[in-house]
Amino acid sequence: MPTARIQFSKIDTDFEMLIRSLREVLADSDQPALAETLPWYRDEPAVSPGDVDPIRETHALSIAFQLLNLVEENATIQARRASESRPEGYIEPGMWRSTLEHLKSLGYSAEEIASALPGMHVEPVLTAHPTESKRRTVLQIHRQLYLHLLDMENTMWTPAERENIRTQITATLERLWRTGEILIEKPDVASELDNVIHYLREVFPIVIQKHDLRLRQAWVEAGFDPKLIERPDSQPRLTFGNWVGGDRDGHPLVTADVTKHTLRRLRNAALKLLDAQLEELGTRLSLSDLLQHPPSELVQRLAEYESKLYDSDHQPPAWRRHEPWRRMIDAMQLRLAAARKDERNGYRNADELSADLKLLAESLEAVGAGRLALTDIFPVQRIVDVFGFHLAAIDVRQNSSFHERAISQLLNAAGLEDWDYASWDEAKRLEFLNEELKSPRPLAPRKADLGAEANAVLGCYQVLSDTIDQHGPRSIGSLIVSMTRTLSDLLAVYLLAREVGLVRREEHGLACLVSVVPLLETLDDLERAPGILDAFLQHPVTQAGFALRGQNPPVQQIMVGYSDSNKDGGLLASQWALNCAQTELTEVARRHGMKLRFFHGRGGTPSRGSGPTYRFLEALPTGTLSGEFRVTEQGETIAQKYANAGTASYNIELWLAGVTDTTLKHRRGGETDAELLEVIERLALYSKTAYQDLLTSDGFLEYWSQVTPIDALERSSIGSRPARRTGKRQFSDLRAIPWVFSWNQARHYLPGWFGLGTALDRLERDDPASFELLRDRGRKMPFLRNVLKNAETSLASVDPELMAEYASLVEDETIRERFLSRIQAELALTDAKIDHLFERSREERRPRMLKTIRMRDAGLDRLHRHQIRMLRAWRALRAKGQETQADAVLSHLLLTVNAIASGLRTTG
């Protein structure tokens, strides 16, 4: 039986079991009518929704969708495992097996691949964008349910034991039913940090071991010598980044104290993780010196440590006298504990701990116990390499306009008559900045009260400077400048950093201790980017920073944003602008003898850069992936991709294997289809024109603000950040995440597809030969295939009937009819043109995707209609000034937001 059919069968079987358990819980909770409203696996029609409390029904349907999501996740994992166990050896795209086979086909030898692996570096960056709508408590209950599903996979259980697992499932479902789902109050940064630390400490250490095992297995199955990759430093590098407690772009709650607290918590969590790893290692290395003689290097270092760490009142346990390996680990734990207290005998950094672990491994190999070095020491070395003493490097992000106001305040405090930096043109700014950045002298007195923005920036930078002085630079990621539009936006950060000694005189000149990174977000920013980068790389402070970091060749990080460029120009124009910018930026770096490390700010929906990992990597422009790769993991995608070890291991393997495959493929080069690229350039322009024409049409923003629940979303408690950067009620100030979220809730999915149909239709009418070229070669091109499939994912989730229901909320009939008919016409055109391009219907090409969507339709239809009724009632109460009554309706309205997000499997 094909894998897809096995997967669907399992989804049906497991989902039916859970739905019956949920019905049992509802019936036992005095909700028998509610139990009968669930529309799945029934012999007779469900009870009419009008017969039950809509709030209770919303809650029940939300839980049902969460169960379906868990079932689909488990079914996918089990189908993957079954496929890998077949004799014919199915190879999943994007995994290590397929990567190694592909690289062999390109002519790479085992030795060449092994030598390249250490140069691969992937860093997922965990963020707290406002897209996770569920409470952490609920996520933990989901985890319990998932583990119960895994228990059911075990064939060893007796009937009685299986029945007990079902009982546990029902009890857990009752716990979920009786637990409030959505966040009543906005989470603070500390609670968001709790969530991030949970993944970093509890999930990813397990995942790393699973990944390394899978790489070794795939290596052997490819016929390669396992000795080539058996040491820790022969593996591809994995590290983690973090934005929680560092990202202050439009987030006034992230203060200098919050960043300081975040750094301290991450360090403490890392040291606790490493102590637990050493504790476990100590239980394993029980070797006796009566049976083997430890090497002199180990004996000498142990004697050195014990002389410093013990005194007459505190000695190693007598019963460990003949266990030098365990005594060494005891001493290492004492040094780790001292590091946590910043005491003299503590490890100064993770490198010192790594050196001791290396000594332990070499001492085992010296006595012939190399197998123990591989199985026991190697995993701990990998944990140290991944997490260090900081767990995850924290980025600090701030908006360029915020920096402009900070500099104005700084100049005013310094007594300059012409202090209004924010009003200066670019030429004047550059003249001033270049002159100032010749000296390490600060402008303002230390600890002076400069103004809100300047105090905020310098307070944060002081925390970073102090941290580097005390613990070194590894806990600090980079200084990211949102809305980088000019060279001065980057140099301004150097000036501000100089005020607290974060820019200081070094051997090669004035250098910044932390990398400054442009974030290119809008279409205009992406177009200007090559010129900005060219000038920035030549700047003396930038050059001195490269020399300080000692990289060869130097590496400059560039962050590219998928959200705002999509909000500006629609899906195709955004993706094409990102593609072209990466190619041009890579060429700029090549001319300077440098590598670029692209940081991809992807979100959870296709319109914000999401989609299958291997397709995303495959579609990157040739030559732009250097082996250095960062990517955001945002909001609800963290739980979806990493909540459970099996899924988390799969996703980490996709990143590491995919980056390796794509990087080495790029090194082989490839031919450029100039004729096809010119056609896609035109297509992107046509698409952008159609999309922007819609957005700028008179009355469109009124349509959007009423047809979607954006006004309710702005009052929700999803994430600690506000939905707008400054609180202004205008389109340009709206964050891209709620823009996408609101269209999804109203089942328009507009940012993910609008304009594409018009573009394809115009190309076919105006230039049939180019359209045929697109059909012949374009659909095989990874970039275009990725864009079209992502657009189709959005299109498949659009519901024209529900679109019309939401449009009924628009009060002005003329505006309502004008835009609804226009959007529906573009929808029909886009569907038809994509089918025409691929020469087969979507039903034939994407049955699995459509099956998962249709399983949700019945429940979602009810939820959307509940939401529409509540939106209408809530807005009417607010219009009458009845805010107390409106607030009561709002809490129920937000339940529908959460439930629909669960059903759609995405927010923004």
Side-chain angles (χ1 to χ4, degrees):
M1 183 182 294
T3 302
R5 289 177 58 191
I6 295 172
Q7 187 175 329
F8 289 147
S9 173
K10 180 165 182 56
I11 289 172
D12 280 328
T13 300
D14 288 353
F15 188 44
E16 180 176 9
M17 182 266 292
L18 292 178
I19 286 295
R20 295 192 185 283
S21 293
L22 178 58
R23 282 202 179 99
E24 181 181 338
V25 167
L26 296 176
D28 291 346
S29 303
D30 295 325
Q31 299 287 336
L34 181 58
E36 297 307 308
T37 64
L38 298 178
W40 296 279
Y41 307 108
R42 304 187 50 81
D43 297 326
E44 66 281 337
V47 169
S48 169
D51 297 338
V52 298
D53 179 358
I55 306 306
R56 291 284 190 173
E57 184 182 23
T58 298
H59 188 186
L61 288 170
S62 177
I63 289 175
F65 285 130
Q66 294 161 23
L67 299 181
L68 179 54
N69 295 339
L70 290 174
V71 163
E72 288 178 338
E73 180 179 353
N74 183 52
T76 300
I77 289 175
Q78 300 308 324
R80 193 179 300 128
R81 291 170 63 88
S83 295
E84 290 177 352
S85 301
R86 290 177 185 166
E88 61 269 28
Y90 170 78
I91 301 178
E92 174 116 4
M95 308 299 277
W96 277 117
R97 275 293 308 280
S98 62
T99 289
L100 297 178
E101 293 298 332
H102 179 236
L103 294 177
K104 284 168 64 178
S105 73
L106 293 177
Y108 281 101
S109 67
E111 290 75 15
E112 288 173 320
I113 299 171
S115 68
L117 285 180
M120 303 298 120
H121 183 191
V122 172
E123 185 166 281
V125 180
L126 307 184
T127 81
H129 277 284
T131 61
E132 176 53 81
S133 54
K134 293 181 282 297
R135 296 172 57 194
R136 186 181 176 196
T137 298
V138 170
L139 294 173
Q140 290 171 335
I141 296 174
H142 290 178
R143 169 69 175 159
Q144 294 167 1
L145 283 168
Y146 181 81
L147 292 176
H148 290 321
L149 284 177
L150 286 185
D151 277 345
M152 295 291 284
E153 301 297 333
N154 198 325
T155 58
M156 64 176 273
W157 305 123
T158 67
E161 288 170 330
R162 293 185 71 81
E163 186 58 35
N164 181 59
I165 296 172
R166 289 193 182 93
T167 300
Q168 293 297 319
I169 288 173
T170 305
T172 306
L173 281 173
E174 180 167 356
R175 193 174 302 117
L176 183 59
W177 168 247
R178 295 180 183 275
T179 299
E181 280 192 81
I182 65 170
L183 299 158
I184 304 303
E185 303 292 339
K186 274 188 174 292
D188 57 14
V189 178
S191 62
E192 291 177 331
L193 183 59
D194 285 340
N195 192 47
V196 166
I197 289 176
H198 165 76
Y199 286 100
L200 291 169
R201 272 194 61 186
E202 307 300 330
V203 178
F204 290 125
I206 299 170
V207 167
I208 291 163
Q209 295 183 24
K210 287 178 174 289
H211 165 269
D212 292 350
L213 174 61
R214 286 185 59 84
L215 173 55
R216 288 197 297 270
Q217 290 172 334
W219 192 265
V220 171
E221 289 169 358
F224 295 161
D225 181 0
K227 292 187 180 300
L228 291 171
I229 62 163
E230 68 180 13
R231 293 190 176 275
D233 58 5
S234 65
Q235 304 293 301
R237 285 203 66 207
L238 174 70
T239 54
F240 292 93
N242 167 50
W243 274 17
V244 177
D247 181 12
R248 56 234 311 125
D249 179 11
H251 198 330
L253 298 180
V254 181
T255 63
D257 284 342
V258 166
T259 300
K260 183 176 182 180
H261 174 74
T262 299
L263 285 162
R264 183 170 60 249
R265 286 200 59 199
L266 288 168
R267 178 176 171 82
N268 287 338
L271 294 176
K272 286 181 180 178
L273 168 64
L274 296 177
D275 183 67
Q277 293 287 319
L278 292 179
E279 184 73 24
E280 174 64 21
L281 183 59
T283 66
R284 296 173 180 272
L285 294 189
S286 54
L287 287 76
S288 169
D289 61 10
L290 298 177
L291 298 176
Q292 50 261 308
H293 296 292
S296 59
E297 292 84 355
L298 177 66
V299 174
Q300 290 170 6
R301 191 169 301 181
L302 178 57
E304 174 193 343
Y305 284 179
E306 290 186 339
S307 68
K308 293 179 179 179
L309 296 168
Y310 295 102
D311 54 33
S312 57
D313 296 324
H314 184 203
Q315 288 291 312
W319 55 273
R320 288 198 174 176
R321 183 176 57 179
H322 293 293
E323 295 179 340
W325 283 272
R326 272 184 168 171
R327 283 166 51 201
M328 181 63 182
I329 293 170
D330 288 342
M332 292 163 65
Q333 286 186 271
L334 288 174
R335 290 201 69 191
L336 203 60
R340 190 174 175 188
K341 300 174 185 176
D342 291 319
E343 293 177 346
R344 181 172 53 86
N345 288 327
Y347 286 114
R348 289 173 298 176
N349 51 53
D351 287 343
E352 292 187 347
L353 176 57
S354 293
D356 282 345
L357 287 168
K358 183 180 180 183
L359 175 64
L360 280 175
E362 290 172 346
S363 69
L364 290 174
E365 291 169 347
V367 299
R371 183 183 291 108
L372 298 184
L374 180 64
T375 60
D376 296 343
I377 307 290
F378 179 4
V380 183
Q381 288 176 293
R382 284 282 282 158
I383 295 296
V384 175
D385 181 61
V386 171
F387 298 105
F389 282 9
H390 59 280
L391 210 61
I394 187 170
D395 287 334
V396 169
R397 182 176 73 138
Q398 185 54 275
N399 198 284
S400 58
S401 61
F402 195 96
H403 291 153
E404 292 170 6
R405 296 192 295 274
I407 292 179
S408 293
Q409 293 163 5
L410 185 63
L411 299 183
N412 188 31
L416 273 71
E417 184 175 341
D418 185 8
W419 56 266
D420 190 9
Y421 175 87
S423 68
W424 297 356
D425 63 23
E426 178 69 0
K428 186 174 181 179
R429 290 183 183 186
L430 289 177
E431 181 182 7
F432 167 75
L433 291 168
N434 285 324
E435 185 62 32
E436 278 295 317
L437 291 172
K438 293 176 181 177
S439 165
R441 165 196 49 80
L443 279 167
R446 296 295 298 272
K447 299 185 179 180
D449 186 5
L450 306 172
E453 284 83 358
N455 287 340
V457 173
L458 299 190
C460 170
Y461 287 3
Q462 187 66 62
V463 169
L464 304 186
S465 183
D466 293 344
T467 299
I468 291 171
D469 288 341
Q470 187 174 13
H471 298 303
R474 291 191 183 178
S475 62
I476 313 301
S478 53
L479 303 174
I480 299 175
V481 185
S482 296
M483 294 297 173
T484 297
R485 291 172 173 151
T486 61
L487 173 62
S488 67
D489 290 336
L490 301 177
L491 301 185
V493 177
Y494 288 155
L495 181 76
L496 292 164
R498 188 189 64 173
E499 292 298 299
V500 297
L502 202 55
V503 166
R504 57 185 71 164
R505 182 76 67 187
E506 297 289 341
E507 179 184 354
H508 298 277
L510 207 63
C512 189
L513 304 187
V514 181
S515 298
V516 174
V517 173
L519 169 48
L520 309 166
E521 302 180 78
T522 68
L523 293 179
D524 288 342
D525 297 343
L526 290 166
E527 188 173 336
R528 287 190 293 265
I532 295 172
L533 179 65
D534 187 46
F536 182 62
L537 293 180
Q538 296 179 61
H539 197 274
V541 179
T542 305
Q543 289 284 328
F546 290 139
L548 177 66
R549 284 180 278 280
Q551 298 164 313
N552 186 26
V555 178
Q556 172 64 44
Q557 186 180 155
I558 301 281
M559 186 171 183
V560 288
Y562 289 70
S563 305
D564 284 278
S565 57
N566 176 266
K567 194 179 79 165
D568 284 352
L571 181 67
L572 178 57
S574 166
Q575 296 288 311
W576 181 244
L578 286 160
N579 183 283
C580 294
Q582 288 175 70
T583 298
E584 293 169 13
L585 289 166
T586 300
E587 176 58 24
V588 170
R590 187 194 63 76
R591 292 200 306 267
H592 287 275
M594 298 177 181
K595 291 194 334 184
L596 289 186
R597 186 186 196 191
F598 281 109
F599 181 7
H600 295 269
R602 302 173 80 217
T605 55
S607 55
R608 297 187 53 242
S610 184
T613 297
Y614 72 91
R615 265 205 336 244
F616 166 78
L617 292 170
E618 179 187 52
L620 292 176
T622 299
T624 60
L625 189 52
S626 66
E628 295 275 351
F629 182 85
R630 289 187 103 206
V631 63
T632 53
E633 298 288 15
Q634 298 182 3
E636 85 277 358
T637 62
I638 297 175
Q640 289 173 4
K641 294 172 69 173
Y642 301 115
N644 302 305
T647 307
S649 177
Y650 171 72
N651 282 294
I652 289 296
E653 182 176 347
L654 283 176
W655 283 128
L656 287 167
V659 166
T660 301
D661 192 12
T662 307
T663 299
L664 295 185
K665 181 179 69 174
H666 284 191
R667 290 179 186 175
R668 285 287 194 258
E671 296 182 2
T672 300
D673 190 336
E675 189 179 13
L676 178 59
L677 294 180
E678 189 276 331
V679 172
I680 295 175
E681 175 82 37
R682 278 192 285 151
L683 201 64
L685 178 61
Y686 297 160
S687 174
K688 182 177 76 169
T689 300
Y691 179 87
Q692 291 183 337
D693 184 60
L694 175 71
L695 264 62
T696 57
S697 295
D698 185 40
F700 176 72
L701 292 184
E702 183 178 346
Y703 177 84
W704 162 64
S705 65
Q706 294 181 36
V707 79
T708 74
I710 182 60
D711 44 355
L713 296 178
E714 290 179 330
R715 290 171 173 245
S716 72
S717 298
I718 303 172
S720 66
R721 293 156 58 107
R724 297 175 182 273
R725 284 186 166 93
T726 67
K728 297 177 183 177
R729 183 70 182 183
Q730 59 189 38
F731 175 76
S732 61
D733 193 63
L734 180 77
R735 293 186 183 280
I737 295 168
W739 166 253
V740 173
F741 195 170
S742 63
W743 285 116
N744 292 359
Q745 288 274 313
R747 295 303 287 274
H748 285 53
Y749 279 76
L750 188 137
W753 59 271
F754 193 91
L756 189 56
T758 292
L760 290 168
D761 183 61
R762 180 176 172 182
L763 182 68
E764 186 174 22
R765 285 187 290 105
D766 294 354
D767 190 351
S770 290
F771 187 83
E772 287 306 311
L773 173 68
L774 203 66
R775 292 180 69 182
D776 180 44
R777 303 206 297 264
R779 62 187 182 185
K780 300 172 187 175
M781 178 189 182
F783 166 79
L784 189 61
R785 184 170 63 238
N786 185 51
V787 172
L788 293 175
K789 283 186 174 291
N790 282 345
E792 257 199 329
T793 300
S794 294
L795 285 164
S797 297
V798 175
D799 188 310
E801 186 177 333
L802 285 171
M803 283 171 58
E805 292 286 340
Y806 277 96
S808 70
L809 294 167
V810 180
E811 296 175 356
D812 188 310
E813 183 178 356
T814 302
I815 290 176
R816 177 174 67 240
E817 293 304 320
R818 182 196 317 154
F819 289 107
L820 177 62
S821 60
R822 183 173 176 180
I823 292 168
Q824 288 179 329
E826 180 71 13
L827 175 68
L829 181 64
T830 307
D831 272 334
K833 289 301 173 183
I834 289 181
D835 282 353
H836 181 40
L837 192 66
F838 281 108
E839 299 180 331
R840 284 192 304 157
S841 70
R842 186 181 304 147
E843 285 72 15
E844 295 176 281
R845 291 181 287 106
R846 314 246 349 235
R848 185 180 305 186
M849 176 189 71
L850 294 176
K851 166 77 173 177
T852 61
I853 291 172
R854 286 167 182 163
M855 283 194 74
R856 292 164 160 74
D857 281 347
L860 278 170
D861 184 75
R862 294 187 184 184
L863 290 172
H864 283 295
R865 295 180 196 281
H866 285 330
Q867 185 178 86
I868 291 166
R869 287 193 294 270
M870 290 182 187
L871 265 173
R872 185 174 280 114
W874 177 63
R875 289 171 178 171
L877 289 169
R878 292 186 66 209
K880 296 175 184 177
Q882 299 175 359
E883 293 297 333
T884 301
Q885 297 92 321
D887 286 345
V889 175
L890 178 63
S891 65
H892 298 159
L893 176 57
L894 293 179
L895 280 174
T896 67
V897 170
N898 186 64
I900 290 170
S902 293
L904 297 174
R905 289 218 73 176
T906 186
T907 52

